[in-house]
Amino acid sequence: MTTEATPPKPLWEPADDAWETTRLGRFLTAMASEHGFTPRDYQAAWKWSVDDLTGFWSALIDEFDVIFHAPPSQILADDSMPGAVWLPDARLNYAEHLLRRRDNHLAVIARSQTRDEVRLTYAELAEQVARAAQGLRRLGIEKGDVVGAYSPNIPETLVVLLACASIGATFSSCAPEFGVRSVVDRFRQIEPSALLVIDGYRYGAKSVDRAEEVASIREALPTLKATVVVGYLDPTTAHERIPDAVAWDDLVADAAPLAFEPVAFDHPLYVLYSSGTTGLPKAIVHGHGGILLEHFKSLALQHDLGADDRFCWFTTTGWMMWNLLVSALAVETTLVLFDGDPGYPDLTTLWRLAEDTELTALGVGAPFVMNCRRSELSPGQEFDLSRLRQLGVTGSPLPEEGFVWAHQAVGHHVQIASVSGGTDVCTGFVGVAPVVSVWAGELSCRYLGVKAEAFDPQGRAVIGERGELVITAPMPSMPVRFWGDDDGSAYRAAYFEEFPGVWRHGDWIEITERGSSIITGRSDATLNRAGVRMGTAEFYSVVEAIDGVVDSLVVHRQGVGADGGADIDGSGQLVLFLVLDKGVTLNDELTQHVAAALRSQLSPRHVPDHIHQVPAVPRTVSGKKMEIPVKRLLDGEERTKVANPGAMANPEALDAYTALIDALNA
């Protein structure tokens, strides 16, 4: 353990009355009196919340007046990991909590580059969900069935999620930027009975038709009973281009009372997916109750959202942040949905959206913040952001200079909410709280109820040192299971092999004496291009199927532009290295072939900026491709620091990559 000699000066500090005026402050003040921990001390409150899981989650259930059709016999029947049993015998429904309010308070503002703005009140949203649920029943969808959505961040996708939840069906979504293989690799695992699709969309100035992709996806899913189409790109021709599909207006044609099927705490609500870095994307099942409790805590307590807030997170429906975003309906917040290119016509698009819709909380990716900084934007001067009180940042670590830019250029009054969590739990592990300061380059605190620690290689918790991010006590939103993993072996292997009984997440983290944390990177190699996440295994399955390609390695350099300069549009620099058959050389024809295959089968955003021929792919002695070491090498780290030759099967393979550094950074 180390001790900070001189703690850094906070970049942002809570208001003097934050313990009285925020929901978290009031909640913890009451709990301190009842449970005997130090009042007005977030660290003391956190310790209580992870040492007394039953007391904390029971208090949270009371705080948010969770609706039970059958009450739980206890809060935590088994605290083992994996295998924790939460709220046995309880019956509830996620959607019932998001639609508890049914008046003229604004529920949704949907902005799009494809069609005109859509607004829905809570009453109108509830009616749409009731109609959609009736329509799904008419199509034969019932409790236990699966419904997939190949659709963007628009109200129809939200409505279908809530309709599925209301009847006990399971929902799963893929962003329409995904190509056929990416979608099929995900949906084929869960065997959907129905599919929501769009005919196409506009991304900036470009129209993208998706009719052919939809046809291929439908053909690859033999379990489909029905397809519902939203005429999003061109409502007049959508039915011609996507035949034998139910029109959206027909799905919601019949009025019906809004009813909620009582389900078990762990009944499948939706399926999210891992990035597919080491194979097929893992289909991660999340339950009604775990998601509900975690999102109440995260959104209302940690982020202080409520009925007076307007909340937007720039995300696609293929990222867990969309699922977190829509749960803000449970705390009566107005959702602002955005579908389009955040860099079109320029990087002021989201800041203009914040002004137009009077956002109080905006969430973006760290690369977007850094791009705005490099472009020397001053959103706080160019736009009226007086109502904006929080800027959320996730996806990758935000460096100190990003914090400083946001503080100066967006507004001193804005709390910079750097958050880290995962699709695996669909929430955050570490982030912010309205009663805790913000320090540049740091995530302010560990979330209540999350026993996040840094482990050294011997499995000991350390403070002030970098270690493996681990979770040493169960969380309600840990996966119910992986789909198809009947014996739980894949689930155990994913998180619990290195430290038995402890969740290992795959991030490097340092926890400071103040309780803040510093994330220094992930141990995987997910490709995240402008919000569309893709695993390298999916990428390789396309590239290495091309004639003449023997092996390949892909690296995504976030914060670096395609030409090696500034990253203007947030896509980073995607570099592909190819090992080719003897006698085959990289030429324009092969380059175009690779680009076309990736564009059509995966995503247009995952076409590489550079393709280079190399003699070999560097691998570990166990045969794993060394993506992260190559990325670090290209980013300027010393070769001796990025790879241990003794752990490599072919250390000489790095020679070719070293020789390309100057060209990629030119």
Side-chain angles (χ1 to χ4, degrees), residues 69 135 142 161 188 196 218 222 238 274 314 321 465 494 508 551-552 642 654:
H69 294 262
E142 55 188 26
L161 163 60
R188 187 181 279 159
L196 173 72
R218 293 172 72 185
S274 69
F314 175 70
M321 293 308 301
E465 301 175 22
W508 291 113
D551 205 354
S552 63
V642 304
L654 286 175

Side-chain angles (χ1 to χ4, degrees), residues 84-104:
V85 178
W86 292 91
L87 279 69
D89 310 320
R91 293 295 181 270
L92 75 173
N93 190 286
Y94 168 83
E96 186 168 9
H97 296 81
L98 273 67
L99 298 171
R100 182 152 39 181
R101 184 166 190 166
R102 301 186 200 167
D103 58 12
N104 290 327

Side-chain angles (χ1 to χ4, degrees), residues 51 99 246 289 360 392 450 455 477 537:
D51 288 347
L99 298 171
V246 177
T360 57
V450 181
F455 266 18
S477 69

Side-chain angles (χ1 to χ4, degrees), residues 284-298:
I284 303 169
V285 181
H286 287 291
H288 276 242
I291 289 297
L292 181 67
L293 298 191
E294 281 285 354
H295 288 185
F296 267 138
K297 179 202 69 182
S298 177

